[in-house]
Amino acid sequence: MERKEILVADKITKIYGIGTKNLFEALHEVSLTMYEGEFVCIMGPSGAGKSTFINNLSTIDIPTKGKVFINGTEVRVMSEGQIGKFRYENLGFIFQEFNLLDSLTIFENIAVPLTLANVNKEEITQRVHDVAKKLGVEQTLDKFPNECSGGQRQRVAICRALVTNPKIIIADEPTGNLDSKNSHEILSLFKELNEKEGVSILMVTHDAKIASYSTKLLYIKDGIIDCTIEREGLSQKEYFYKIVDINSSESQELFE
Amino acid sequence: MGLIRLSLISLKKDLSKSMFYFLTFLLTTIFIFSFFNLVFHPGANINLGKDDGTFVTPIAVFVIVIAMVCVFLANNFYVSHKGKEISIILMSGASVFQLGIYLFFQVFIIMIFSIPLGLLIGYLLIPFINSLFASTFLYQGSLFYLSKQTLVATGAILLFEVFWCSLLNLGYCVRSTINSMMNEESKIDLSGIKGPKFSHRLFILCYFIPPVIFLFLKDSMSFLLFALIGIIGIFGIIKKVLPDWIEKRQKNESLQDSVQLLGLGFFHSDIQKVFGLMIIMLLSSILLTCVTVYTLKQPLVSMVALMSYISVMILMSLTIVFKIGMELNKRKKNFQNLCYLGFSLKQIHQIIHLEMKLFYGFILLLPFVYQVIILLNLLIRSEVTLYFVMIIFIIQIVPVVISYFISIYLYKAIIPKSIIEKR
């Protein structure tokens, strides 16, 4: 059966500091094709362009050159009016810093995307409770973000990302502020969402253990994709060692 | 929970972020209302526009521009502080139009409270302002008069402000990417303003020559003309001379004095961050003093200029304090690090006082030198009373001194508790 392309990046380049003396090319003609149901992880050393890449793929930032297609639609040609609806229907964002609104309760935070889409009150309540139950944060719905633990806040951020049933989850270092127990619980959830519900996931991490939950890994270095690994038939442990090899070969270069 | 309710909840729970915006709108309304009520007073005999034989029209334009600049800056502070909130809403699928409504609703609520209150305070201030200036200029007229034109003119300007603020907010959402909004706390940066490329000596000469000439001037119009040269000097002193002097002093003499080294460093950073606002305030002080003395023979016009001076000083002081407060928030970590490096609470207080004294000292003294010489010249020739001189000094000194103390208070609030507890 032919796999459906969910995200295509065609030679995207990102240059910062245009119009100043400090021009910096963070990405150089990077291309990627991501298929529906894939769990793609992006790794690389600090400053390699991982977050820039994910931001430019997901409408958070605009590439200087190149095209990005999400679910067959070119992102750059969309009007401002279309892009909001497009984000609502296709994308769910999760960040290291959780990015919850401190002034809203957990319930209200999860409900924000549905509110904007004018979903009726009963449906909002139902969907928020359903997703909160699934992620195990139902008991925190009346609390404020600062009354919750880091793990709970990240689960809430995932609830907010999932409440609209998006096609792709975009996660930038989602475990960066979590301890190892919470990190692996979150990643097990990602894996379950990916395998059982077919949600496509694009995630940035610098942790090989976290990356080993993915099905495909892109290693970015100096603004280009240095290598790609597919998990295919490998066990998670074998896949993990392969990821570690790539990272350590990068470190080995220091001594050569 | 609809979009409007979401907007209301956010406004209610982030009230502290709205305070500066509220205060700016309130003060602007009071000043514009009081200003127009004086101008449209039947006894004033002033026709704004091309039939104006007085100096009121340019003063009116100046005051309106300054008031608008303050409102636009306050609006910019407000919106850019909401960068994270806006970006989350955008990520959640909001269109720019929805975001425009979201922000407009918050601005609208702030105005609903600030504008009527401003009009009420303005109305209550009418007899006070009239009697104060009547005693200053021996002006005879009704103490309690409200012109219909005042309401129309004030309303038109406020509507204009609301329209432009909404448009600017929409523009901010359209042109910014989610990434840039999430990472930028403030969009205010007037430090890129470029001026004439003179040498340091020329800037210093431009500043010091006018006061020497002021000593010998007998025509009050000439004060204004020579002050314009002085403004070029002030621009250069703040932009070029002072930063270079600080750097040299840090390299040569302050290395062994850690308090001076850090105090000067923070002062340098303040100049860069608050450059535009400093220039507007210094320029306003000098120009409005000159305009007030130039129009002394037209008491009502002089009264309008004096009132404009008060308005601008209060508005600009408020804006500078707020901007300084924002910068200080970014320095919390610096003080934590100073604590790790072994600085005592006493040394940190010394650093803070040195920086603030230098910052507000320059804001106060650069125009004050001009004002003292101009007013002494006029006082010696009996063209102004000592009472008038005192009023000008109070207008110049009081807002700056209050700003100094508020800034010190804000500064002390950011010192990490760990340092205070160690005391």
Side-chain angles (χ1 to χ4, degrees):
Chain A
M1 197 176 86
E2 196 180 327
R3 293 191 297 173
K4 190 187 169 200
E5 291 173 350
I6 186 94
L7 193 154
V8 178
D10 182 18
K11 291 184 180 171
I12 61 168
T13 295
K14 181 69 184 178
I15 302 169
Y16 289 110
I18 291 175
T20 68
K21 288 175 190 169
N22 307 316
L23 274 183
F24 173 68
E25 193 181 49
L27 290 175
H28 179 73
E29 296 191 351
V30 184
S31 297
L32 160 76
T33 301
M34 185 176 164
Y35 296 97
E36 205 169 44
E38 267 192 330
F39 183 169
V40 177
C41 178
I42 299 168
M43 279 191 94
S46 298
K50 306 183 291 287
S51 292
T52 305
F53 187 42
I54 203 172
N55 287 345
N56 281 274
L57 290 181
S58 60
T59 74
I60 287 184
D61 210 343
I62 302 163
T64 314
K65 285 185 228 164
K67 291 175 181 174
V68 176
F69 298 87
I70 301 178
N71 213 12
T73 311
E74 193 192 340
V75 176
R76 278 183 71 166
V77 298
M78 273 190 268
S79 69
E80 284 301 327
Q82 289 170 313
I83 205 151
K85 190 166 181 276
F86 179 81
R87 283 191 192 114
Y88 172 79
E89 288 171 351
N90 293 282
L91 305 171
F93 296 94
I94 301 162
F95 296 92
Q96 179 178 349
E97 302 293 335
F98 318 132
N99 284 336
L100 299 176
L101 294 170
D102 297 331
S103 51
L104 301 184
T105 62
I106 297 299
F107 178 91
E108 289 163 343
N109 263 291
I110 300 172
V112 165
L114 302 174
T115 301
L116 296 167
N118 295 321
V119 175
N120 68 56
K121 200 178 165 186
E122 289 73 29
E123 194 180 338
I124 290 178
T125 310
Q126 186 62 48
R127 282 168 72 173
V128 170
H129 276 99
D130 286 350
V131 76
K133 193 176 174 186
K134 192 156 114 187
L135 273 287
V137 286
E138 212 179 3
Q139 73 286 2
T140 65
L141 287 177
D142 293 328
K143 292 184 179 175
F144 284 93
N146 58 10
E147 296 167 339
C148 300
S149 68
Q152 284 173 325
R153 276 185 269 178
Q154 194 57 297
R155 282 166 195 269
V156 172
I158 297 171
C159 286
R160 187 182 59 192
L162 290 178
V163 78
T164 57
N165 300 319
K167 307 267 187 307
I168 313 175
I169 293 280
I170 309 287
D172 191 354
E173 300 271 12
T175 58
N177 275 335
L178 302 180
D179 58 28
S180 101
K181 182 175 174 277
N182 271 302
S183 298
H184 288 282
E185 278 179 18
I186 295 287
L187 261 298
S188 301
L189 258 165
F190 274 19
K191 198 177 171 193
E192 196 181 312
L193 283 168
N194 175 249
E195 287 173 356
K196 292 189 181 162
E197 298 184 27
V199 177
S200 309
I201 299 172
L202 181 62
M203 177 179 75
V204 165
T205 185
H206 62 274
D207 185 333
K209 279 182 286 184
I210 299 299
S212 68
Y213 284 89
S214 67
T215 55
K216 183 177 179 178
L217 182 125
L218 306 177
Y219 194 84
I220 290 197
K221 196 177 146 190
D222 300 330
I224 54 165
I225 296 178
D226 196 42
C227 69
T228 304
I229 321 173
E230 301 259 1
R231 181 168 167 181
E232 293 171 332
L234 298 176
S235 69
Q236 190 173 356
K237 192 177 173 185
E238 289 165 331
Y239 185 49
F240 166 72
Y241 283 125
K242 232 175 162 178
I243 296 168
V244 170
D245 277 349
I246 287 179
N247 278 287
S248 57
S249 64
E250 160 70 19
S251 307
Q252 287 292 327
E253 284 175 18
L254 179 69
F255 305 107
E256 283 166 8
Chain B
M1 187 179 61
L3 182 73
I4 289 175
R5 196 170 156 243
L6 184 68
S7 172
L8 270 178
I9 290 174
S10 158
L11 182 68
K12 189 179 152 197
K13 291 184 178 169
D14 279 335
L15 265 185
S16 61
K17 286 181 185 169
S18 324
M19 272 320 284
F20 173 64
Y21 201 15
F22 172 82
L23 273 177
T24 310
F25 251 120
L26 180 76
L27 289 175
T28 310
T29 309
I30 297 171
F31 294 143
I32 291 175
F33 177 85
S34 308
F35 177 85
F36 280 121
N37 203 46
L38 261 184
V39 171
F40 290 127
H41 195 288
N45 236 353
I46 293 168
N47 299 306
L48 284 183
K50 59 182 177 181
D51 297 330
D52 179 19
T54 66
F55 212 75
V56 173
T57 304
I59 299 173
V61 172
F62 187 74
V63 169
I64 291 167
V65 167
I66 293 285
M68 284 188 177
V69 164
C70 289
V71 168
F72 292 148
L73 287 175
N75 181 68
N76 202 337
F77 285 140
Y78 182 73
V79 175
S80 54
H81 257 79
K82 287 190 165 270
K84 183 185 164 193
E85 181 179 317
I86 293 170
S87 57
I88 290 171
I89 293 169
L90 269 178
M91 277 189 307
S92 299
S95 65
V96 171
F97 177 68
Q98 279 178 306
L99 209 54
I101 293 176
Y102 180 86
L103 286 174
F104 175 77
F105 203 74
Q106 294 193 350
V107 172
F108 184 73
I109 295 289
I110 292 170
M111 285 181 322
I112 286 279
F113 285 98
S114 59
I115 292 177
L117 186 63
L119 292 175
L120 178 71
I121 297 173
Y123 184 72
L124 294 174
L125 281 175
I126 291 173
F128 174 73
I129 293 170
N130 284 354
S131 61
L132 179 75
F133 287 107
S135 62
T136 311
F137 293 99
L138 305 174
Y139 162 72
Q140 303 282 316
S142 163
L143 285 184
F144 216 101
Y145 176 80
L146 174 62
S147 156
K148 274 185 190 168
Q149 285 169 293
T150 302
L151 291 172
V152 175
T154 309
I157 287 172
L158 292 173
L159 267 178
F160 183 79
E161 283 178 352
V162 173
F163 173 76
W164 275 103
C165 284
S166 305
L167 210 64
L168 287 171
N169 294 347
L170 206 59
Y172 171 73
C173 300
V174 171
R175 71 175 187 273
S176 308
T177 60
I178 293 175
N179 197 32
S180 66
M181 282 194 274
M182 212 173 264
N183 295 313
E184 279 176 56
E185 268 294 285
S186 170
K187 299 285 284 184
I188 308 265
D189 184 13
L190 301 170
S191 57
I193 298 172
K194 286 177 185 166
K197 287 182 179 172
F198 294 160
S199 69
H200 287 192
R201 277 184 192 169
L202 199 54
F203 279 128
I204 293 169
L205 274 178
C206 281
Y207 176 73
F208 282 107
I209 286 176
V212 176
I213 298 171
F214 288 160
L215 290 169
F216 308 101
L217 283 179
K218 287 180 181 168
D219 168 24
S220 54
M221 177 64 186
S222 309
F223 289 125
L224 187 59
L225 293 176
F226 285 104
L228 293 173
I229 299 170
I231 285 166
I232 297 172
I234 288 180
F235 184 94
I237 287 175
I238 303 281
K239 181 87 180 171
K240 310 262 185 207
V241 181
L242 209 49
D244 288 353
W245 174 81
I246 292 170
E247 274 177 33
K248 269 185 199 162
R249 197 166 169 88
Q250 282 179 308
K251 271 184 198 162
N252 302 325
E253 292 158 57
S254 306
L255 274 181
Q256 288 176 310
D257 183 344
S258 53
V259 168
Q260 199 178 90
L261 188 73
L262 285 156
L264 285 174
F266 284 140
F267 174 48
H268 191 181
S269 161
D270 293 338
I271 297 175
Q272 287 176 322
K273 301 283 180 188
V274 194
F275 174 73
L277 296 177
M278 273 177 97
I279 289 295
I280 293 174
M281 187 155 174
L282 298 174
L283 178 147
S284 306
S285 294
I286 294 175
L287 288 186
L288 285 170
T289 306
C290 291
V291 169
T292 309
V293 298
Y294 170 57
T295 55
L296 272 174
K297 284 172 188 153
Q298 302 164 279
L300 196 97
V301 182
S302 196
M303 184 191 299
V304 170
L306 203 58
M307 215 186 85
S308 310
Y309 181 27
I310 298 171
S311 315
V312 170
M313 285 302 287
I314 295 175
L315 274 176
M316 290 312 298
S317 300
L318 177 72
T319 311
I320 287 179
V321 166
F322 190 79
K323 177 74 177 160
I324 284 284
M326 277 172 58
E327 291 305 319
L328 297 186
N329 261 326
K330 296 176 192 165
R331 285 193 194 153
K332 272 184 188 170
K333 256 195 175 155
N334 291 352
F335 283 99
Q336 188 72 57
N337 290 334
L338 289 180
C339 173
Y340 295 149
L341 289 170
F343 277 78
S344 65
L345 185 65
K346 190 183 166 196
Q347 283 173 310
I348 285 174
H349 279 172
Q350 284 172 336
I351 293 167
I352 292 171
H353 282 278
L354 176 65
E355 177 202 350
M356 288 292 115
K357 274 178 191 159
L358 285 169
F359 180 72
Y360 285 107
F362 272 93
I363 290 183
L364 178 68
L365 292 176
L366 282 176
F368 199 58
V369 170
Y370 282 38
Q371 289 169 322
V372 168
I373 295 173
I374 291 170
L375 293 170
L376 279 180
N377 175 322
L378 294 168
L379 192 64
I380 291 164
R381 292 191 288 114
S382 303
E383 288 195 27
V384 291
T385 60
L386 187 62
Y387 177 63
F388 176 83
V389 174
M390 293 314 290
I391 283 182
I392 294 281
F393 287 174
I394 287 169
I395 298 170
Q396 177 63 21
I397 296 168
V398 172
V400 179
V401 171
I402 293 174
S403 303
Y404 167 80
F405 284 112
I406 296 175
S407 301
I408 291 279
Y409 173 77
L410 291 174
Y411 224 140
K412 288 184 177 167
I414 68 152
I415 298 174
K417 279 182 185 159
S418 54
I419 306 181
I420 298 166
E421 281 156 11
K422 271 186 188 175
R423 199 177 178 182

